[in-house]
Amino acid sequence: MAVLSTNGDIEERVYIREDVTGFKSLFFEFCSMARLLRSFSVLVMRQRRLPPVTCTGSRARRVHSEAGLGSLTRYDESVVSTDWQEKLTPEQYYVTREKGTELPFSGIYLNHTEEGTYHCVCCNTPLFSSETKYNSGTGWPSFWEAHGTVGNDESNTNVLRRPDNSLGCAGTEVICKECDAHLGHVFDDGPEPSGQRFCINSIALTFKPS
């Protein structure tokens, strides 16, 4: 990017080299914040009883995913036998069944450091280990690997990846393999050895100590 500065009759051009990796991370964070704002607007509309306004990676990995599904912003609850509204709190239902997002830095497991396993709040399936949890500074619990991952093989884990283009930018949703609960999203800006950042809502999890 070129910046032009003028000093009398002298024009000096200063060229700034953009950090592509940093830009990509900022772009993903922008998408996350846009999703958060949409979630907040839905909550406000619900309080007022108004209808809501509808508004990838360099490593070779064997992942368990469902491709070609496009934007997945809602589940068809008519085909689900479990009465999730009866089983879950309103907040848990909103995040896990309607793909909401909790406020950043508000989750109970953000700074949680106890050893154990994080399970799906809906069906109690083990999803992530405390051994792979780290502080990403994003405001949500982060893990660099799903529970059951062997090397780069995620086929034995209890999570699925789905493409999510609901905000107009390419993203990857993370759901529970057992009950389809929305958990969060995964990004390719995590630490070694995986390079992955599973950004997960605390409210979608329950914890069992070792």
Side-chain angles (χ1 to χ4, degrees), residues 9-83:
D9 296 331
I10 301 176
E11 293 185 349
E12 179 182 3
R13 292 182 180 272
V14 180
Y15 291 91
I16 302 174
R17 180 178 179 272
E18 294 183 341
D19 187 338
V20 177
T21 303
F23 177 79
K24 182 179 179 182
S25 296
L26 287 175
F27 180 69
F28 281 137
E29 294 305 325
F30 171 78
C31 291
S32 296
M33 290 307 299
R35 179 180 296 277
L36 175 62
L37 290 174
R38 177 182 177 278
S39 300
F40 180 73
S41 69
V42 172
L43 288 175
V44 172
M45 292 299 181
R46 283 186 167 183
Q47 290 295 325
R48 295 180 179 178
R49 298 181 180 277
L50 295 175
V53 179
T54 304
C55 341
T56 301
S58 59
R59 299 168 184 261
R61 301 180 61 80
R62 183 183 175 190
V63 299
H64 204 168
S65 64
E66 294 184 0
L69 296 179
S71 175
L72 297 170
T73 58
R74 295 284 178 180
Y75 290 113
D76 183 0
E77 293 291 343
S78 64
V79 300
V80 179
S81 59
T82 302
D83 190 346

Side-chain angles (χ1 to χ4, degrees), residues 89 101 113 131 134 145 148 157 161 167:
T89 67
T101 302
T113 58
E131 296 180 356
Y134 74 101
E145 185 177 83
T157 69
R161 301 184 184 217
L167 293 176

Side-chain angles (χ1 to χ4, degrees), residues 109 112 114-119 124 206-210:
Y109 295 128
H112 189 250
E114 188 177 359
E115 294 183 358
T117 306
Y118 295 86
H119 294 239
N124 204 32
T206 185
F207 179 76
K208 292 188 177 183
S210 299

Side-chain angles (χ1 to χ4, degrees), residues 120-133:
C120 176
V121 74
C122 296
C123 66
N124 204 32
T125 299
L127 302 172
F128 299 96
S129 169
S130 61
E131 296 180 356
T132 62
K133 189 174 185 291

